[in-house]
Amino acid sequence: MYFPTFRSRRIRGKEVFRRMVRENSLSVNDLIYPMFSAFGSGIRKEISSMPGIHQLSIENLVEEAQAVHELGVPAVILFGIPEFKDAVGSDAYADCGIIQETIRALKKSVPDLAVITDVCMCEYTDHGHCGIIKDGDVDNDATLELLAKEALSHAQAGADMVAPSDMMDGRVAAIRDTLDENGFDHIPLMSYAAKYASGYYGPFREAAESTPQFGDRRSYQMDPANRREALREARMDVEEGADIIMVKPGLPYLDIVRDLRNEFDLPLAVYNVSGEYSMVKAAARNGWIDEERVIMETMLSFKRAGADLILTYHAPEVARILKRG
Ligand code: PBG
Ligand code: ZN
């Protein structure tokens, strides 16, 4: 293929041709919207670093979820801000915990919206780590029991899917076993398979009030320098029974998305995390970028890298743009 026999520009010359040869596309069905459920009532507190994203008390969250559902977004993923935190994250697996109450309210008012729950301990522990602390570090095996209890209580409250984000070894098997033993073998599990210890989670920690009170998460989340390790992490989760695997963060890890796409045939998700969202919002507010264009280009980059599903705070905006055409 060489010039002048071949001219790449011929097929780019008309919008109708560009539409015909477009290799990837984005659908509203690809979107999952993360939401923050806060204890109390009448709460609608904007996250200062995430314009447009709020901590919402249950009645407000239900209202917003209804709107998101009407836009055609198929699913939300829930994060909880409990009234009380303690060393073992009791609210995470309490029958009347913040997430359990939110699930019940959502399933009652918006039954067709898929409710996915983030399964982790960091929003519920007073030390802010993703599990139980022993000798200054998170104890893997002791944490597994609590994660399984948390996932089970989400399923009992009516969650449609659970998504463990803690990065403990063996958590997919532990959760799968507990769900199966208790009559929830039909509930799918989406695992945060390759989750990196990332600075891009900064704004989320303000939103979820889950900043670790000492140290960091590098003893359980992945080292940003590692690529092959993502395949091992994903393989473990697939063998333990994950139904969907996820890469997180998104934009800085598109190579990992592509690696997992090439290696596994399961549905693949990518998490366009808080810091990625905040950077776009900040630049747009300064008039430095065309916000809509950058958002849609970012979404397409995930599809091109091989993702099926995109967890993104932009979901309602993207749905609106897609609808408008
Ligand atoms: C909890 C969790 C985090 C995110 C999703 N689940 C934060 C963390 O691991 O520190 C980050 C999401 C985001 O930044 O948007 N383990
Ligand atoms: Zn966590």
Side-chain angles (χ1 to χ4, degrees):
M1 306 239 278
Y2 51 86
F3 178 82
T5 311
F6 184 75
R7 289 179 182 270
S8 313
R9 292 184 56 187
R10 274 185 210 125
I11 207 67
R12 279 183 215 140
K14 288 183 162 66
E15 170 56 20
V16 67
F17 291 162
R18 293 194 290 272
R19 237 172 74 204
M20 289 162 70
V21 301
R22 192 155 287 149
E23 297 176 32
N24 290 283
S25 64
L26 177 70
S27 152
V28 71
N29 297 322
D30 305 332
L31 305 171
I32 300 174
Y33 185 47
M35 300 186 83
F36 299 97
S37 181
F39 179 84
S41 67
I43 293 171
R44 190 180 164 79
K45 186 177 161 208
E46 188 165 56
I47 315 308
S48 62
S49 53
M50 299 178 75
I53 304 298
H54 302 80
Q55 289 184 353
L56 299 164
S57 50
I58 293 177
E59 81 288 7
N60 287 336
L61 187 142
V62 167
E63 199 183 304
E64 194 165 318
Q66 177 78 51
V68 167
H69 173 63
E70 278 162 20
L71 283 167
V73 175
V76 295
I77 181 164
L78 299 179
F79 298 93
I81 299 110
E83 186 179 18
F84 301 110
K85 304 191 185 214
D86 61 24
V88 291
S90 303
D91 195 271
Y93 38 87
D95 183 48
C96 54
I98 180 69
I99 287 297
Q100 291 78 359
E101 298 284 12
T102 308
I103 298 166
R104 281 189 283 263
L106 277 174
K107 289 319 291 184
K108 199 170 140 203
S109 307
V110 208
D112 296 337
L113 177 71
V115 175
I116 306 174
T117 58
D118 183 83
V119 175
C120 200
M121 303 303 296
C122 52
E123 296 125 66
Y124 310 95
T125 51
D126 49 14
H127 46 72
H129 277 286
C130 301
I132 300 186
I133 301 295
K134 201 172 140 196
D135 304 327
D137 194 8
V138 175
D139 183 291
N140 192 86
D141 299 12
T143 299
L144 294 182
E145 260 175 64
L146 297 189
L147 293 168
K149 258 170 86 168
E150 181 181 8
L152 176 59
S153 90
H154 291 172
Q156 285 167 337
D160 297 296
M161 188 187 302
V162 295
S165 69
D166 51 283
M167 290 302 278
M168 296 304 122
D169 291 317
R171 88 256 204 230
V172 171
I175 291 170
R176 189 70 269 162
D177 284 353
T178 298
L179 290 177
D180 291 359
E181 280 162 16
N182 288 277
F184 293 101
D185 55 9
H186 58 290
I187 297 292
L189 188 157
M190 172 165 69
S191 81
Y192 288 68
K195 176 173 177 182
Y196 287 85
S198 171
Y200 286 89
Y201 305 150
F204 173 93
R205 292 181 186 170
E206 181 199 339
E209 299 179 10
S210 63
T211 306
Q213 297 304 301
F214 64 89
D216 54 41
R217 303 208 203 290
R218 284 177 233 237
S219 80
Y220 42 103
Q221 297 180 347
M222 289 174 61
D223 186 333
N226 295 354
R227 183 172 176 184
R228 294 185 312 255
E229 188 185 4
L231 293 173
R232 295 199 295 275
E233 280 286 358
R235 196 169 296 122
M236 277 178 81
D237 289 2
V238 171
E239 283 168 8
E240 290 176 23
D243 301 284
I244 301 176
I245 50 177
M246 191 205 298
V247 173
K248 177 181 173 197
L251 273 185
Y253 297 88
L254 290 180
D255 56 330
I256 309 300
V257 175
R258 173 47 59 188
D259 283 350
L260 265 52
R261 168 77 300 145
N262 289 348
E263 191 75 13
F264 303 98
D265 57 8
L266 286 177
L268 178 60
V270 62
Y271 200 141
N272 176 220
V273 303
S274 57
E276 301 172 53
Y277 175 86
S278 301
M279 292 194 305
V280 169
K281 289 289 167 191
R285 289 196 156 193
N286 277 297
W288 293 340
I289 55 170
D290 176 339
E291 182 173 14
E292 268 194 14
R293 192 170 169 185
V294 167
I295 291 173
M296 296 311 269
E297 187 175 336
T298 302
M299 296 301 128
L300 215 45
S301 78
F302 297 134
K303 302 295 294 185
R304 204 182 58 238
D308 301 301
L309 296 166
I310 305 169
L311 294 87
T312 181
Y313 302 96
H314 294 295
E317 307 170 86
V318 171
R320 252 178 246 117
I321 295 168
L322 288 172
K323 209 168 211 173
R324 199 188 60 207

